[in-house]
Amino acid sequence: MNKKNRLHRFISIVLVIVIVLSTCILLSSLAYSYSESNYEEAGYNFLLAQYDLRNIEYSSLTKEHSINLYDNNENVVAKMMIVNRDDKIDYVVLDFMIDRVDEFGFDQNNFVEKFKGKDKIYYAGALNYAYYDNGILKDIEGNSIDEITYFEIMETFVSYAHTLPNQTSGYAGFDSWTNIRNNANNLPTSTGYGGSVTNSSWSYIPGITVNGVANGLDFQSQTTLNNNYNKAFGKSITGTCAATAITNMFIYYEYRGFNNALLNNNIDYTFDSALTEIDWFNWNDINWWFKTVSGLESLATQAGYDYTLNQYIILNWNNVVKSIDDDIPIFTYIGVDLTNGGYFAHAIVTVGYEEFTHKYTTTEEYWLFGWKEREVENEDVYRYLRVIDGWGTSNQSRYIDFNGFYSTVMGIAFMLEE
């Protein structure tokens, strides 16, 4: 078969969140965090993934140096790592507070040169650097800036690390169609004025319904797949939600008519191959995304198919709508810090979406030579993803809350093609 892979890739340039775990369902007591001890490995792995995404070839890659980035309490809150790629200067900024890559750039020698000779660089978020020059605060371009305003921006940036969602349970983000519909329809009309709730938008890939799945579809749980694997190989693996999600995607492709999607026409063999192709036994918190993408591509090649692939390191609603409307399932990673100090992480498959719009009117007071009242029209939108959860409920009606419940939502839209 003459294959011509068509990869449509997307990645955000700034504020790229990479809070990731290789575990599933709180197997770690703490979320992964960047630090002085691991920023180099994290930086290299991130840049290598970006080079691969853009098909950037090079002969040599070496670290030039790094720059500490400070808050106004003299704490190092981020690190700029600078590398030389065949005499081109690239950089990446790793945020220690929120454990993410805030910013990166290629062939940026002129920009990086602006940091040289500065005694201390203050950081207030992506592209917002400052330093003192003879007691005068300046931005990285050398322009004098107001100290009060700059450090207010910094305080807002620093405080953001403490406003990310915290939940008592990651499971609470999952619900059924009946519950999300009833919750939407029971939204208050507010202050006695007439309100309305409409099911404003929805879509599902073929074979998926609000209540379950079509005949002929039988998604698997990681418990079943793990038990079969452990029995066959004498192992005791757990936490395989990513390989389970991938296997469920290939089960779906088989349903859609890709007759070779299940390798050897066997679910357990496909699961075993997924573990191998994503290099699951060598996953870590930094490399799992790159290995997952590579694994999906390898499995498609083994099955003998082309594919469409889109990467969303920040999965937003428009990404979901486009993929589902194009009948493409999405490998989806969700994560959130828990109030007990732990971290909930899970991989699922997004197969549909539901949107509800709540319109209502409120009475507000405003001042115009005395307090006056006016009616204000409001519109709130509530969104949910229809998912295959990788548990025993995979073939049931399962949704996750897409209204900010999870602090991290990432996705790989992936579909086989003839």
Side-chain angles (χ1 to χ4, degrees):
M1 180 179 181
N2 182 17
K3 300 187 59 173
K4 184 179 179 181
N5 293 336
R6 296 181 291 276
L7 279 70
H8 312 291
R9 303 175 183 267
F10 167 83
I11 190 167
S12 299
I13 299 301
V14 295
L15 298 180
V16 180
I17 297 179
V18 289
I19 307 173
V20 294
L21 290 180
S22 61
T23 56
C24 299
I25 315 307
L26 193 56
L27 297 182
S28 174
S29 60
L30 293 174
Y32 179 80
S33 59
Y34 293 147
S35 66
E36 184 69 32
S37 65
N38 63 23
Y39 81 90
E40 282 193 33
E41 181 185 6
Y44 273 124
N45 276 283
F46 181 82
L47 288 173
L48 289 173
Q50 305 316 309
Y51 300 150
D52 179 71
L53 285 173
R54 293 162 175 77
N55 296 315
I56 296 176
E57 298 181 353
Y58 54 91
S59 299
S60 65
L61 182 70
T62 57
K63 177 188 171 186
E64 289 267 313
H65 62 284
S66 62
I67 300 172
N68 289 329
L69 304 175
Y70 293 86
D71 66 9
N72 56 339
N73 292 314
E74 310 305 317
N75 299 310
V76 176
V77 295
K79 200 99 165 179
M80 176 181 284
M81 177 176 161
I82 299 164
V83 301
N84 186 311
R85 174 179 51 84
D86 292 344
D87 295 326
K88 294 182 175 63
I89 299 300
D90 303 338
Y91 77 94
V92 56
V93 175
L94 299 113
D95 188 328
F96 292 174
M97 295 185 304
I98 310 177
D99 305 320
R100 68 184 182 192
V101 169
D102 280 353
E103 177 189 332
F104 63 94
F106 305 133
D107 198 8
Q108 294 292 317
N109 186 60
N110 290 338
F111 176 67
V112 170
E113 282 289 321
K114 300 177 189 297
F115 291 81
K116 288 188 176 180
K118 310 296 190 296
D119 180 50
K120 182 174 290 184
I121 303 293
Y122 294 93
Y123 185 59
L127 300 173
N128 207 343
Y129 308 93
Y131 66 98
Y132 279 104
D133 181 11
N134 293 322
I136 299 173
L137 189 67
K138 297 182 177 181
D139 64 22
I140 203 63
E141 301 295 333
N143 303 307
S144 298
I145 56 177
D146 181 71
E147 289 187 42
I148 294 176
T149 300
Y150 179 78
F151 287 113
E152 282 179 350
I153 294 171
M154 178 184 287
E155 288 293 339
T156 300
F157 167 68
V158 171
S159 66
Y160 175 71
H162 306 293
T163 61
L164 292 173
N166 275 38
Q167 306 292 347
T168 57
S169 168
Y171 297 95
F174 288 78
D175 216 331
S176 67
W177 160 250
T178 300
N179 285 341
I180 67 169
R181 179 192 59 193
N182 290 343
N183 290 340
N185 290 334
N186 290 326
L187 289 169
T189 56
S190 185
T191 65
Y193 291 97
S196 66
V197 177
T198 58
N199 195 180
S200 48
S201 180
W202 66 89
S203 182
Y204 298 86
I205 62 178
I208 306 298
T209 70
V210 294
N211 295 314
V213 300
N215 291 333
L217 261 179
D218 187 18
F219 295 110
Q220 299 293 299
S221 76
Q222 61 179 311
T223 300
T224 300
L225 294 174
N226 288 344
N227 288 342
N228 292 344
Y229 182 91
N230 292 335
K231 183 178 179 179
F233 297 99
K235 303 290 185 179
S236 57
I237 61 172
T238 60
T240 59
C241 55
T244 299
I246 290 171
T247 302
N248 280 329
M249 294 176 82
F250 278 77
I251 288 173
Y252 178 74
Y253 306 146
E254 184 90 5
Y255 167 80
R256 286 287 300 275
F258 296 91
N259 296 326
N260 298 321
L262 288 176
L263 303 182
N264 283 359
N265 199 33
N266 185 281
I267 291 174
D268 290 322
Y269 185 85
T270 303
F271 175 70
D272 179 18
S273 298
L275 291 172
T276 300
E277 294 306 320
I278 67 175
D279 197 18
W280 184 80
F281 292 97
N282 292 310
W283 267 23
N284 61 47
D285 299 325
I286 298 169
N287 67 22
W288 77 268
W289 177 268
F290 176 74
K291 288 181 179 292
T292 299
V293 172
S294 177
L296 282 166
E297 295 171 343
S298 295
L299 286 169
T301 299
Q302 286 187 40
Y305 295 107
D306 293 339
Y307 50 86
T308 293
L309 187 151
N310 292 276
Q311 297 184 54
Y312 303 109
I313 290 184
I314 301 175
L315 183 65
N316 63 42
W317 188 250
N318 289 336
N319 305 146
V320 171
V321 169
K322 182 182 186 311
S323 298
I324 298 304
D325 287 355
D326 288 342
D327 296 335
I328 302 175
I330 309 170
F331 175 98
T332 306
Y333 167 90
I334 53 175
V336 66
D337 290 305
L338 302 178
T339 54
N340 66 3
Y343 190 77
F344 177 93
H346 191 36
I348 54 181
V349 184
T350 297
V351 293
Y353 64 83
E354 289 280 346
E355 178 183 88
F356 298 88
T357 299
H358 179 209
K359 295 182 178 181
Y360 57 96
T361 305
T362 56
T363 299
E364 297 183 3
E365 291 186 337
Y366 68 98
W367 177 265
L368 183 61
F369 304 108
W371 288 105
K372 304 181 185 301
E373 289 186 348
R374 62 182 175 188
E375 293 182 7
V376 178
E377 294 183 352
N378 302 274
E379 181 175 300
D380 298 332
V381 177
Y382 297 85
R383 291 165 171 167
Y384 303 88
L385 304 185
R386 172 73 166 85
V387 301
I388 308 303
D389 58 25
W391 301 324
T393 46
S394 280
N395 293 300
Q396 299 175 19
S397 167
R398 299 288 283 171
Y399 293 78
I400 65 165
D401 190 336
F402 200 68
N403 301 294
F405 184 95
Y406 296 100
S407 56
T408 305
V409 184
M410 308 166 68
I412 305 168
F414 185 82
M415 187 68 196
L416 298 184
E417 295 181 346
E418 296 285 358

